[in-house]
Amino acid sequence: MTSSLTMKRIATALGAGAAVLALSLGGAGVAHAKIEPVDTSCTNNGGHEAPGQQPTCTGGGQTQNTENQNPAGHAPPGQN
């Protein structure tokens, strides 16, 4: 083996190690999305959606309907 080929292999190995390290450290905080309930609609005592009251209930005699959502506004699978 020549010296040039050995240096290329060492450089490739160091580059791959650096990439693995960067991806493992950089991806650690991505999976911590906060799931929060978000108001979606109101239902009155008759079981119908109250007109003009969506999405947050105002007044009495109404039930607040919510949906769990992530920061992007999507409902994660299995969360509702």
Side-chain angles (χ1 to χ4, degrees):
M1 235 185 327
T2 64
S3 174
S4 174
L5 184 59
T6 303
M7 291 302 289
K8 286 181 183 178
R9 287 184 178 176
I10 291 173
T12 302
L14 288 175
V20 167
L21 181 63
L23 290 174
S24 67
L25 293 177
V30 176
H32 298 292
K34 189 171 184 180
I35 306 297
E36 295 183 345
V38 176
D39 295 345
T40 56
S41 64
C42 291
T43 307
N44 61 20
N45 292 334
H48 302 287
E49 289 188 3
Q53 298 293 326
Q54 289 83 19
T56 303
C57 297
T58 57
Q62 298 178 352
T63 303
Q64 181 69 59
N65 301 320
T66 61
E67 176 182 73
N68 292 332
Q69 293 183 357
N70 58 22
H74 302 291
Q79 294 291 324
N80 292 315

Short mmCIF file of all heavy atoms in Angstrom, two decimals:
data_model
loop_
_atom_site.label_atom_id
_atom_site.label_comp_id
_atom_site.label_asym_id
_atom_site.label_seq_id
_atom_site.Cartn_x
_atom_site.Cartn_y
_atom_site.Cartn_z
N MET A 1 0.83 -1.18 0.00
CA MET A 1 0.00 0.00 0.00
C MET A 1 0.88 1.25 0.00
O MET A 1 1.86 1.30 0.71
CB MET A 1 -0.87 -0.01 1.26
CG MET A 1 -2.31 0.11 0.93
SD MET A 1 -3.51 0.25 2.25
CE MET A 1 -2.96 -0.66 3.61
N THR A 2 0.45 2.23 -0.73
CA THR A 2 1.24 3.45 -0.79
C THR A 2 0.85 4.40 0.34
O THR A 2 -0.21 4.26 0.97
CB THR A 2 1.02 4.17 -2.14
OG1 THR A 2 -0.34 4.58 -2.21
CG2 THR A 2 1.37 3.26 -3.29
N SER A 3 1.69 5.35 0.60
CA SER A 3 1.45 6.32 1.66
C SER A 3 0.22 7.18 1.34
O SER A 3 -0.53 7.52 2.24
CB SER A 3 2.69 7.19 1.82
OG SER A 3 2.44 8.21 2.74
N SER A 4 0.03 7.50 0.08
CA SER A 4 -1.11 8.32 -0.33
C SER A 4 -2.43 7.60 -0.07
O SER A 4 -3.39 8.19 0.41
CB SER A 4 -0.97 8.66 -1.81
OG SER A 4 -2.12 9.33 -2.27
N LEU A 5 -2.48 6.31 -0.38
CA LEU A 5 -3.69 5.53 -0.17
C LEU A 5 -4.00 5.39 1.32
O LEU A 5 -5.15 5.49 1.76
CB LEU A 5 -3.55 4.15 -0.82
CG LEU A 5 -4.78 3.24 -0.77
CD1 LEU A 5 -5.97 3.91 -1.45
CD2 LEU A 5 -4.47 1.92 -1.42
N THR A 6 -2.98 5.20 2.13
CA THR A 6 -3.15 5.09 3.57
C THR A 6 -3.70 6.40 4.14
O THR A 6 -4.59 6.39 4.99
CB THR A 6 -1.82 4.73 4.24
OG1 THR A 6 -1.33 3.53 3.68
CG2 THR A 6 -1.99 4.57 5.73
N MET A 7 -3.18 7.51 3.70
CA MET A 7 -3.64 8.82 4.19
C MET A 7 -5.10 9.06 3.79
O MET A 7 -5.88 9.62 4.57
CB MET A 7 -2.74 9.94 3.64
CG MET A 7 -1.33 9.92 4.23
SD MET A 7 -1.32 10.07 6.02
CE MET A 7 -1.82 11.75 6.20
N LYS A 8 -5.48 8.63 2.59
CA LYS A 8 -6.86 8.79 2.16
C LYS A 8 -7.80 7.97 3.02
O LYS A 8 -8.88 8.41 3.39
CB LYS A 8 -7.02 8.39 0.68
CG LYS A 8 -6.45 9.38 -0.29
CD LYS A 8 -6.67 8.93 -1.72
CE LYS A 8 -6.05 9.90 -2.70
NZ LYS A 8 -6.21 9.46 -4.09
N ARG A 9 -7.38 6.76 3.35
CA ARG A 9 -8.22 5.90 4.19
C ARG A 9 -8.35 6.46 5.60
O ARG A 9 -9.42 6.42 6.20
CB ARG A 9 -7.64 4.49 4.24
CG ARG A 9 -7.85 3.74 2.95
CD ARG A 9 -7.38 2.33 3.05
NE ARG A 9 -7.65 1.63 1.79
CZ ARG A 9 -7.29 0.40 1.54
NH1 ARG A 9 -6.61 -0.29 2.45
NH2 ARG A 9 -7.58 -0.16 0.40
N ILE A 10 -7.27 6.99 6.14
CA ILE A 10 -7.32 7.59 7.48
C ILE A 10 -8.22 8.82 7.47
O ILE A 10 -9.05 9.01 8.37
CB ILE A 10 -5.90 7.93 7.97
CG1 ILE A 10 -5.12 6.64 8.26
CG2 ILE A 10 -5.95 8.83 9.21
CD1 ILE A 10 -3.66 6.87 8.59
N ALA A 11 -8.12 9.64 6.45
CA ALA A 11 -8.95 10.84 6.34
C ALA A 11 -10.42 10.47 6.20
O ALA A 11 -11.30 11.11 6.80
CB ALA A 11 -8.50 11.69 5.16
N THR A 12 -10.71 9.43 5.43
CA THR A 12 -12.09 8.99 5.27
C THR A 12 -12.65 8.47 6.59
O THR A 12 -13.79 8.77 6.96
CB THR A 12 -12.17 7.88 4.19
OG1 THR A 12 -11.65 8.39 2.97
CG2 THR A 12 -13.59 7.41 3.98
N ALA A 13 -11.85 7.71 7.33
CA ALA A 13 -12.30 7.19 8.61
C ALA A 13 -12.56 8.31 9.61
O ALA A 13 -13.55 8.30 10.35
CB ALA A 13 -11.27 6.21 9.17
N LEU A 14 -11.68 9.31 9.64
CA LEU A 14 -11.88 10.45 10.53
C LEU A 14 -13.12 11.26 10.15
O LEU A 14 -13.88 11.71 11.01
CB LEU A 14 -10.65 11.35 10.53
CG LEU A 14 -9.42 10.79 11.25
CD1 LEU A 14 -8.23 11.74 11.05
CD2 LEU A 14 -9.70 10.59 12.71
N GLY A 15 -13.33 11.42 8.85
CA GLY A 15 -14.52 12.14 8.38
C GLY A 15 -15.81 11.41 8.75
O GLY A 15 -16.79 12.02 9.17
N ALA A 16 -15.81 10.09 8.59
CA ALA A 16 -16.99 9.31 8.95
C ALA A 16 -17.25 9.38 10.45
O ALA A 16 -18.39 9.49 10.90
CB ALA A 16 -16.82 7.86 8.51
N GLY A 17 -16.20 9.32 11.25
CA GLY A 17 -16.35 9.42 12.70
C GLY A 17 -16.89 10.77 13.11
O GLY A 17 -17.74 10.87 14.00
N ALA A 18 -16.40 11.83 12.47
CA ALA A 18 -16.89 13.17 12.78
C ALA A 18 -18.36 13.32 12.39
O ALA A 18 -19.14 13.95 13.11
CB ALA A 18 -16.04 14.22 12.05
N ALA A 19 -18.76 12.73 11.27
CA ALA A 19 -20.16 12.79 10.84
C ALA A 19 -21.07 12.06 11.81
O ALA A 19 -22.15 12.54 12.16
CB ALA A 19 -20.30 12.21 9.43
N VAL A 20 -20.64 10.89 12.27
CA VAL A 20 -21.43 10.13 13.23
C VAL A 20 -21.58 10.91 14.53
O VAL A 20 -22.67 11.00 15.10
CB VAL A 20 -20.80 8.74 13.49
CG1 VAL A 20 -21.41 8.07 14.70
CG2 VAL A 20 -20.93 7.86 12.27
N LEU A 21 -20.53 11.52 14.99
CA LEU A 21 -20.57 12.30 16.22
C LEU A 21 -21.49 13.51 16.07
O LEU A 21 -22.30 13.80 16.95
CB LEU A 21 -19.16 12.75 16.61
CG LEU A 21 -19.05 13.56 17.89
CD1 LEU A 21 -19.48 12.72 19.08
CD2 LEU A 21 -17.64 14.06 18.08
N ALA A 22 -21.39 14.21 14.95
CA ALA A 22 -22.22 15.40 14.72
C ALA A 22 -23.69 15.03 14.64
O ALA A 22 -24.55 15.73 15.19
CB ALA A 22 -21.77 16.11 13.45
N LEU A 23 -24.01 13.94 13.97
CA LEU A 23 -25.41 13.54 13.84
C LEU A 23 -25.98 13.05 15.17
O LEU A 23 -27.15 13.27 15.48
CB LEU A 23 -25.55 12.45 12.77
CG LEU A 23 -25.33 12.92 11.33
CD1 LEU A 23 -25.36 11.74 10.38
CD2 LEU A 23 -26.38 13.94 10.94
N SER A 24 -25.17 12.38 15.97
CA SER A 24 -25.68 11.89 17.24
C SER A 24 -25.92 13.03 18.22
O SER A 24 -26.86 13.02 19.00
CB SER A 24 -24.73 10.85 17.85
OG SER A 24 -23.51 11.47 18.22
N LEU A 25 -25.10 14.06 18.20
CA LEU A 25 -25.28 15.20 19.09
C LEU A 25 -26.36 16.14 18.58
O LEU A 25 -27.15 16.67 19.35
CB LEU A 25 -23.97 15.97 19.24
CG LEU A 25 -22.84 15.25 19.97
CD1 LEU A 25 -21.60 16.11 19.97
CD2 LEU A 25 -23.24 14.90 21.39
N GLY A 26 -26.41 16.35 17.28
CA GLY A 26 -27.37 17.29 16.70
C GLY A 26 -28.79 16.77 16.73
O GLY A 26 -29.73 17.54 16.85
N GLY A 27 -29.00 15.48 16.62
CA GLY A 27 -30.35 14.93 16.58
C GLY A 27 -30.95 14.67 17.94
O GLY A 27 -32.11 14.27 18.03
N ALA A 28 -30.24 14.90 19.01
CA ALA A 28 -30.73 14.57 20.34
C ALA A 28 -31.91 15.45 20.76
O ALA A 28 -32.83 14.98 21.40
CB ALA A 28 -29.60 14.68 21.35
N GLY A 29 -31.91 16.72 20.39
CA GLY A 29 -32.98 17.61 20.82
C GLY A 29 -34.18 17.63 19.91
O GLY A 29 -35.18 18.25 20.23
N VAL A 30 -34.14 16.98 18.80
CA VAL A 30 -35.22 17.05 17.82
C VAL A 30 -36.45 16.29 18.29
O VAL A 30 -37.57 16.69 18.04
CB VAL A 30 -34.74 16.50 16.46
CG1 VAL A 30 -35.86 16.45 15.45
CG2 VAL A 30 -33.60 17.36 15.94
N ALA A 31 -36.30 15.20 19.01
CA ALA A 31 -37.41 14.33 19.36
C ALA A 31 -38.22 14.82 20.55
O ALA A 31 -39.13 14.14 20.99
CB ALA A 31 -36.88 12.93 19.65
N HIS A 32 -37.95 15.99 21.07
CA HIS A 32 -38.64 16.47 22.26
C HIS A 32 -39.71 17.50 21.90
O HIS A 32 -39.75 18.59 22.46
CB HIS A 32 -37.66 17.07 23.26
CG HIS A 32 -36.66 16.07 23.75
ND1 HIS A 32 -37.00 15.01 24.54
CD2 HIS A 32 -35.34 15.95 23.53
CE1 HIS A 32 -35.94 14.28 24.80
NE2 HIS A 32 -34.91 14.84 24.20
N ALA A 33 -40.59 17.16 20.97
CA ALA A 33 -41.68 18.06 20.60
C ALA A 33 -42.73 18.04 21.70
O ALA A 33 -43.10 16.98 22.20
CB ALA A 33 -42.29 17.64 19.27
N LYS A 34 -43.23 19.19 22.07
CA LYS A 34 -44.20 19.27 23.14
C LYS A 34 -45.61 19.09 22.57
O LYS A 34 -46.04 19.84 21.70
CB LYS A 34 -44.09 20.63 23.83
CG LYS A 34 -44.91 20.72 25.07
CD LYS A 34 -44.59 22.00 25.83
CE LYS A 34 -45.37 22.02 27.13
NZ LYS A 34 -45.08 23.23 27.88
N ILE A 35 -46.32 18.10 23.08
CA ILE A 35 -47.68 17.83 22.66
C ILE A 35 -48.62 18.55 23.63
O ILE A 35 -48.54 18.35 24.84
CB ILE A 35 -47.98 16.31 22.67
CG1 ILE A 35 -46.95 15.54 21.86
CG2 ILE A 35 -49.40 16.02 22.20
CD1 ILE A 35 -46.92 15.88 20.40
N GLU A 36 -49.50 19.41 23.10
CA GLU A 36 -50.41 20.17 23.94
C GLU A 36 -51.83 20.05 23.42
O GLU A 36 -52.04 19.98 22.21
CB GLU A 36 -50.01 21.65 23.95
CG GLU A 36 -48.67 21.91 24.58
CD GLU A 36 -48.34 23.40 24.62
OE1 GLU A 36 -49.00 24.18 23.92
OE2 GLU A 36 -47.42 23.76 25.35
N PRO A 37 -52.84 20.08 24.31
CA PRO A 37 -54.22 20.09 23.83
C PRO A 37 -54.57 21.46 23.24
O PRO A 37 -54.22 22.50 23.81
CB PRO A 37 -55.04 19.80 25.08
CG PRO A 37 -54.15 20.15 26.23
CD PRO A 37 -52.74 19.98 25.75
N VAL A 38 -55.24 21.45 22.11
CA VAL A 38 -55.63 22.67 21.42
C VAL A 38 -57.15 22.66 21.25
O VAL A 38 -57.73 21.64 20.87
CB VAL A 38 -54.94 22.76 20.04
CG1 VAL A 38 -55.41 23.98 19.26
CG2 VAL A 38 -53.43 22.79 20.21
N ASP A 39 -57.81 23.78 21.55
CA ASP A 39 -59.26 23.87 21.39
C ASP A 39 -59.62 23.71 19.92
O ASP A 39 -59.03 24.35 19.05
CB ASP A 39 -59.77 25.21 21.90
CG ASP A 39 -59.57 25.39 23.39
OD1 ASP A 39 -59.31 24.38 24.06
OD2 ASP A 39 -59.66 26.53 23.86
N THR A 40 -60.62 22.86 19.64
CA THR A 40 -61.04 22.63 18.25
C THR A 40 -62.47 23.07 18.00
O THR A 40 -62.77 23.59 16.93
CB THR A 40 -60.88 21.16 17.85
OG1 THR A 40 -61.61 20.35 18.76
CG2 THR A 40 -59.42 20.75 17.85
N SER A 41 -63.39 22.85 18.95
CA SER A 41 -64.78 23.24 18.76
C SER A 41 -65.52 23.19 20.08
O SER A 41 -64.99 22.72 21.08
CB SER A 41 -65.46 22.32 17.73
OG SER A 41 -65.51 21.00 18.24
N CYS A 42 -66.78 23.66 20.05
CA CYS A 42 -67.66 23.63 21.23
C CYS A 42 -68.91 22.83 20.89
O CYS A 42 -69.39 22.86 19.76
CB CYS A 42 -68.10 25.05 21.61
SG CYS A 42 -66.77 26.04 22.26
N THR A 43 -69.42 22.13 21.88
CA THR A 43 -70.66 21.38 21.72
C THR A 43 -71.64 21.85 22.78
O THR A 43 -71.28 21.96 23.96
CB THR A 43 -70.40 19.87 21.90
OG1 THR A 43 -69.34 19.48 21.04
CG2 THR A 43 -71.63 19.05 21.56
N ASN A 44 -72.90 22.13 22.36
CA ASN A 44 -73.89 22.55 23.35
C ASN A 44 -74.56 21.33 23.97
O ASN A 44 -74.20 20.19 23.66
CB ASN A 44 -74.91 23.51 22.71
CG ASN A 44 -75.67 22.89 21.57
OD1 ASN A 44 -75.76 21.66 21.44
ND2 ASN A 44 -76.24 23.73 20.73
N ASN A 45 -75.53 21.55 24.86
CA ASN A 45 -76.17 20.45 25.58
C ASN A 45 -76.89 19.48 24.65
O ASN A 45 -77.10 18.33 24.99
CB ASN A 45 -77.14 20.99 26.63
CG ASN A 45 -76.42 21.70 27.75
OD1 ASN A 45 -75.27 21.41 28.02
ND2 ASN A 45 -77.09 22.65 28.39
N GLY A 46 -77.31 19.93 23.47
CA GLY A 46 -78.00 19.07 22.52
C GLY A 46 -77.05 18.24 21.68
O GLY A 46 -77.47 17.46 20.83
N GLY A 47 -75.73 18.40 21.86
CA GLY A 47 -74.75 17.64 21.10
C GLY A 47 -74.37 18.25 19.77
O GLY A 47 -73.73 17.61 18.95
N HIS A 48 -74.78 19.50 19.53
CA HIS A 48 -74.48 20.17 18.27
C HIS A 48 -73.38 21.22 18.48
O HIS A 48 -73.23 21.76 19.58
CB HIS A 48 -75.73 20.87 17.72
CG HIS A 48 -76.88 19.93 17.50
ND1 HIS A 48 -76.90 19.01 16.49
CD2 HIS A 48 -78.03 19.75 18.20
CE1 HIS A 48 -78.04 18.32 16.55
NE2 HIS A 48 -78.74 18.75 17.59
N GLU A 49 -72.66 21.51 17.41
CA GLU A 49 -71.65 22.57 17.51
C GLU A 49 -72.34 23.92 17.57
O GLU A 49 -73.23 24.22 16.76
CB GLU A 49 -70.70 22.51 16.31
CG GLU A 49 -69.77 21.32 16.35
CD GLU A 49 -68.72 21.37 15.26
OE1 GLU A 49 -68.66 22.36 14.51
OE2 GLU A 49 -67.95 20.41 15.16
N ALA A 50 -71.92 24.71 18.53
CA ALA A 50 -72.52 26.02 18.71
C ALA A 50 -71.97 26.99 17.66
O ALA A 50 -70.76 27.16 17.56
CB ALA A 50 -72.21 26.54 20.11
N PRO A 51 -72.83 27.61 16.86
CA PRO A 51 -72.34 28.52 15.82
C PRO A 51 -71.72 29.77 16.42
O PRO A 51 -72.20 30.30 17.42
CB PRO A 51 -73.60 28.86 15.02
CG PRO A 51 -74.73 28.60 15.96
CD PRO A 51 -74.28 27.50 16.86
N GLY A 52 -70.65 30.22 15.84
CA GLY A 52 -69.99 31.44 16.27
C GLY A 52 -69.16 31.30 17.53
O GLY A 52 -68.66 32.28 18.04
N GLN A 53 -69.00 30.10 18.05
CA GLN A 53 -68.26 29.90 19.29
C GLN A 53 -66.95 29.16 19.08
O GLN A 53 -66.26 28.88 20.03
CB GLN A 53 -69.12 29.12 20.29
CG GLN A 53 -70.38 29.82 20.70
CD GLN A 53 -70.12 31.08 21.52
OE1 GLN A 53 -69.18 31.14 22.28
NE2 GLN A 53 -70.94 32.08 21.32
N GLN A 54 -66.63 28.79 17.88
CA GLN A 54 -65.43 28.00 17.65
C GLN A 54 -64.19 28.88 17.58
O GLN A 54 -64.30 30.01 17.11
CB GLN A 54 -65.57 27.20 16.35
CG GLN A 54 -66.56 26.08 16.43
CD GLN A 54 -67.99 26.56 16.21
OE1 GLN A 54 -68.19 27.62 15.66
NE2 GLN A 54 -68.96 25.81 16.65
N PRO A 55 -63.05 28.37 17.95
CA PRO A 55 -62.81 27.06 18.54
C PRO A 55 -62.90 27.06 20.07
O PRO A 55 -62.98 26.00 20.67
CB PRO A 55 -61.41 26.72 18.09
CG PRO A 55 -60.71 28.03 18.00
CD PRO A 55 -61.78 29.02 17.57
N THR A 56 -62.85 28.22 20.72
CA THR A 56 -62.86 28.25 22.18
C THR A 56 -64.25 28.62 22.68
O THR A 56 -64.85 29.58 22.18
CB THR A 56 -61.83 29.27 22.71
OG1 THR A 56 -60.55 28.91 22.19
CG2 THR A 56 -61.76 29.25 24.22
N CYS A 57 -64.77 27.89 23.67
CA CYS A 57 -66.11 28.13 24.20
C CYS A 57 -66.16 29.42 24.99
O CYS A 57 -65.27 29.72 25.77
CB CYS A 57 -66.53 26.98 25.11
SG CYS A 57 -66.65 25.40 24.30
N THR A 58 -67.23 30.17 24.77
CA THR A 58 -67.53 31.33 25.61
C THR A 58 -68.99 31.19 26.03
O THR A 58 -69.85 30.85 25.24
CB THR A 58 -67.34 32.66 24.85
OG1 THR A 58 -68.15 32.66 23.69
CG2 THR A 58 -65.89 32.84 24.44
N GLY A 59 -69.26 31.43 27.28
CA GLY A 59 -70.61 31.25 27.79
C GLY A 59 -70.77 29.91 28.47
O GLY A 59 -69.89 29.05 28.42
N GLY A 60 -71.92 29.71 29.09
CA GLY A 60 -72.14 28.48 29.84
C GLY A 60 -72.88 27.43 29.05
O GLY A 60 -73.39 27.67 27.96
N GLY A 61 -72.94 26.23 29.60
CA GLY A 61 -73.69 25.14 28.98
C GLY A 61 -73.03 24.54 27.76
O GLY A 61 -73.72 23.93 26.94
N GLN A 62 -71.73 24.73 27.59
CA GLN A 62 -71.04 24.19 26.42
C GLN A 62 -69.86 23.33 26.85
O GLN A 62 -69.24 23.56 27.89
CB GLN A 62 -70.55 25.33 25.53
CG GLN A 62 -71.69 26.17 24.99
CD GLN A 62 -71.19 27.31 24.14
OE1 GLN A 62 -70.00 27.57 24.08
NE2 GLN A 62 -72.10 28.01 23.51
N THR A 63 -69.57 22.34 26.04
CA THR A 63 -68.46 21.44 26.31
C THR A 63 -67.33 21.76 25.33
O THR A 63 -67.55 21.83 24.12
CB THR A 63 -68.89 19.97 26.12
OG1 THR A 63 -69.99 19.72 26.99
CG2 THR A 63 -67.76 19.03 26.43
N GLN A 64 -66.13 21.96 25.87
CA GLN A 64 -64.96 22.26 25.04
C GLN A 64 -64.39 20.97 24.46
O GLN A 64 -64.08 20.05 25.20
CB GLN A 64 -63.89 22.98 25.87
CG GLN A 64 -62.65 23.35 25.09
CD GLN A 64 -62.94 24.43 24.08
OE1 GLN A 64 -63.37 25.52 24.44
NE2 GLN A 64 -62.72 24.16 22.81
N ASN A 65 -64.25 20.91 23.15
CA ASN A 65 -63.61 19.78 22.49
C ASN A 65 -62.17 20.16 22.15
O ASN A 65 -61.92 21.23 21.61
CB ASN A 65 -64.36 19.41 21.21
CG ASN A 65 -65.80 19.05 21.48
OD1 ASN A 65 -66.10 18.38 22.45
ND2 ASN A 65 -66.70 19.50 20.63
N THR A 66 -61.23 19.27 22.50
CA THR A 66 -59.82 19.56 22.25
C THR A 66 -59.19 18.43 21.45
O THR A 66 -59.75 17.34 21.32
CB THR A 66 -59.04 19.71 23.57
OG1 THR A 66 -59.12 18.50 24.30
CG2 THR A 66 -59.57 20.87 24.39
N GLU A 67 -58.00 18.71 20.91
CA GLU A 67 -57.22 17.73 20.16
C GLU A 67 -55.76 17.95 20.52
O GLU A 67 -55.29 19.08 20.58
CB GLU A 67 -57.43 17.94 18.66
CG GLU A 67 -56.59 17.04 17.78
CD GLU A 67 -56.80 17.32 16.31
OE1 GLU A 67 -56.32 18.35 15.83
OE2 GLU A 67 -57.46 16.50 15.65
N ASN A 68 -55.03 16.86 20.76
CA ASN A 68 -53.61 16.97 21.04
C ASN A 68 -52.88 17.29 19.75
O ASN A 68 -53.09 16.63 18.73
CB ASN A 68 -53.06 15.68 21.64
CG ASN A 68 -53.60 15.42 23.02
OD1 ASN A 68 -53.93 16.36 23.74
ND2 ASN A 68 -53.69 14.17 23.40
N GLN A 69 -52.01 18.31 19.79
CA GLN A 69 -51.26 18.71 18.60
C GLN A 69 -49.81 18.97 18.97
O GLN A 69 -49.51 19.38 20.08
CB GLN A 69 -51.86 19.96 17.96
CG GLN A 69 -53.22 19.74 17.36
CD GLN A 69 -53.74 20.98 16.67
OE1 GLN A 69 -53.11 22.04 16.68
NE2 GLN A 69 -54.90 20.87 16.07
N ASN A 70 -48.92 18.77 17.99
CA ASN A 70 -47.52 19.10 18.17
C ASN A 70 -47.30 20.55 17.74
O ASN A 70 -48.23 21.21 17.26
CB ASN A 70 -46.62 18.12 17.41
CG ASN A 70 -46.90 18.07 15.94
OD1 ASN A 70 -47.46 19.01 15.36
ND2 ASN A 70 -46.53 16.99 15.28
N PRO A 71 -46.09 21.11 17.89
CA PRO A 71 -45.86 22.52 17.54
C PRO A 71 -46.14 22.86 16.08
O PRO A 71 -46.41 24.00 15.76
CB PRO A 71 -44.39 22.73 17.87
CG PRO A 71 -44.11 21.74 18.95
CD PRO A 71 -44.94 20.54 18.61
N ALA A 72 -46.14 21.86 15.19
CA ALA A 72 -46.43 22.13 13.78
C ALA A 72 -47.92 22.20 13.52
O ALA A 72 -48.36 22.51 12.41
CB ALA A 72 -45.81 21.04 12.91
N GLY A 73 -48.76 21.93 14.53
CA GLY A 73 -50.21 21.99 14.37
C GLY A 73 -50.83 20.71 13.88
O GLY A 73 -51.97 20.70 13.44
N HIS A 74 -50.11 19.62 13.91
CA HIS A 74 -50.62 18.34 13.45
C HIS A 74 -50.92 17.44 14.66
O HIS A 74 -50.25 17.51 15.67
CB HIS A 74 -49.60 17.63 12.55
CG HIS A 74 -49.21 18.43 11.36
ND1 HIS A 74 -50.08 18.68 10.33
CD2 HIS A 74 -48.06 19.07 11.04
CE1 HIS A 74 -49.48 19.42 9.41
NE2 HIS A 74 -48.24 19.68 9.83
N ALA A 75 -51.92 16.58 14.51
CA ALA A 75 -52.24 15.63 15.55
C ALA A 75 -51.35 14.41 15.38
O ALA A 75 -51.40 13.73 14.37
CB ALA A 75 -53.69 15.22 15.46
N PRO A 76 -50.47 14.13 16.35
CA PRO A 76 -49.59 12.97 16.24
C PRO A 76 -50.40 11.67 16.30
O PRO A 76 -51.40 11.61 17.01
CB PRO A 76 -48.67 13.07 17.45
CG PRO A 76 -48.99 14.35 18.11
CD PRO A 76 -50.24 14.89 17.55
N PRO A 77 -50.00 10.64 15.58
CA PRO A 77 -50.74 9.38 15.60
C PRO A 77 -50.73 8.76 16.99
O PRO A 77 -49.71 8.76 17.67
CB PRO A 77 -49.99 8.51 14.60
CG PRO A 77 -48.64 9.12 14.48
CD PRO A 77 -48.81 10.57 14.75
N GLY A 78 -51.88 8.26 17.41
CA GLY A 78 -51.98 7.59 18.70
C GLY A 78 -52.10 8.52 19.89
O GLY A 78 -52.08 8.07 21.03
N GLN A 79 -52.25 9.82 19.69
CA GLN A 79 -52.31 10.76 20.80
C GLN A 79 -53.72 11.23 21.12
O GLN A 79 -53.92 11.92 22.09
CB GLN A 79 -51.44 11.99 20.48
CG GLN A 79 -49.97 11.70 20.39
CD GLN A 79 -49.39 11.35 21.73
OE1 GLN A 79 -49.76 11.87 22.77
NE2 GLN A 79 -48.49 10.40 21.74
N ASN A 80 -54.70 10.90 20.28
CA ASN A 80 -56.06 11.41 20.51
C ASN A 80 -57.00 10.29 20.89
O ASN A 80 -56.88 9.20 20.53
CB ASN A 80 -56.58 12.13 19.27
CG ASN A 80 -55.81 13.40 19.04
OD1 ASN A 80 -55.58 14.14 19.99
ND2 ASN A 80 -55.41 13.66 17.83
#
